[in-house]
Amino acid sequence: MLVIYLVLGILYESFIHPFTILSDCVGGTGGLLTLLVFGRDLDWYAFCRLIMLIGIVEKNAIMMIDFA
């Protein structure tokens, strides 16, 4: 996590932008809440989908920071 923060800090030349990107855990929380609401187990398929969802949310945050 520290290495990712340092790489993003070098990329954006800021200490705030990497923190805002890495603190965006809405995707993971929403995915786990959806599993809970529909009564599904956290099996390997759900875990892989959750990792993909977090990756998509993080990529979206990075693109929003780049655009701004």
Side-chain angles (χ1 to χ4, degrees), residues 10-61:
I10 292 169
L11 179 67
Y12 292 116
E13 298 174 354
S14 171
F15 292 113
I16 297 172
H17 293 310
F19 180 71
T20 57
I21 291 171
L22 292 176
S23 67
D24 187 18
C25 63
V26 175
T29 305
L32 288 175
L33 184 64
T34 304
L35 286 174
L36 181 68
V37 167
F38 287 105
R40 301 290 304 251
D41 293 333
L42 184 63
D43 56 357
W44 283 106
Y45 293 115
F47 184 72
C48 290
R49 291 177 185 142
L50 193 63
I51 294 298
M52 286 175 39
L53 177 66
I54 292 170
I56 291 170
V57 169
E58 294 298 322
K59 182 168 175 59
N60 186 29

